[in-house]
Amino acid sequence: EIRTRVVESKSLAAKFREALLDMKQELVTSLASQRTGPQNSRDLAVDFTTKINSVLSRHGVSEVDLGLYFRVTTPAKQWIGTTLSGPVFHLRTLEVGLQGWVMMQRARGASTPECTKQLDETWIQACHAH
């Protein structure tokens, strides 16, 4: 989850939204090209930071202008009816946030649990990682 600070100006909000959408596209494309699942958090942080800074530069804004922050979220509807959310991270601490994301992705596994036993085991792994 990538967010910006709240602004009252409609035109500024639109500019922030455009930058966020471009970031999302860059990051999704980067993750899709890896296809093997989460890599180590340091490499992801370097890759993500480079892509985010490139987008910010193209839009003529900075991380501070946007009040940019990140939060690791993990789908957990099958267990608790909602999403698990971690703490907020900024670009300078992105690697720490991505460590949490990698741990949660590994704990959840690549596929949806098919039986109650698998569901329970996956939940225990997710709780431990969270």
Side-chain angles (χ1 to χ4, degrees):
E1 177 176 293
I2 305 172
R3 293 190 173 200
T4 67
R5 65 184 171 89
V6 174
V7 294
E8 293 184 20
S9 163
K10 184 178 179 180
S11 63
L12 190 55
K15 183 175 185 174
F16 285 9
R17 181 178 187 275
E18 191 175 313
L20 285 173
L21 290 173
D22 282 355
M23 277 181 226
K24 178 181 177 182
Q25 182 61 46
E26 291 278 342
L27 299 177
V28 166
T29 300
S30 178
L31 284 173
S33 70
Q34 295 175 23
R35 294 186 189 188
T36 57
Q39 303 301 308
N40 77 57
S41 54
R42 179 176 301 275
D43 291 345
L44 279 174
V46 168
D47 185 45
F48 280 18
T49 301
T50 300
K51 289 183 179 350
I52 289 166
N53 284 327
S54 174
V55 169
L56 292 173
S57 178
R58 284 196 312 264
H59 286 271
V61 294
S62 72
E63 173 194 359
V64 174
D65 294 337
L66 270 68
L68 195 63
Y69 67 94
F70 308 85
R71 182 175 309 183
V72 174
T73 59
T74 303
K77 192 170 192 150
Q78 66 268 38
W79 298 295
I80 60 172
T82 190
T83 300
L84 292 172
S85 295
V88 169
F89 297 94
H90 298 277
L91 198 55
R92 67 185 173 281
T93 58
L94 182 60
E95 184 178 344
V96 175
L98 288 173
Q99 285 173 352
W101 179 77
V102 168
M103 284 175 49
M104 291 301 289
Q105 294 300 309
R106 288 184 179 146
R108 283 196 77 243
S111 60
T112 303
E114 296 178 10
C115 66
T116 304
K117 182 180 178 193
Q118 286 178 338
L119 193 64
D120 290 345
E121 289 170 354
T122 304
W123 173 243
I124 290 167
Q125 290 171 344
C127 285
H128 179 63
H130 192 269

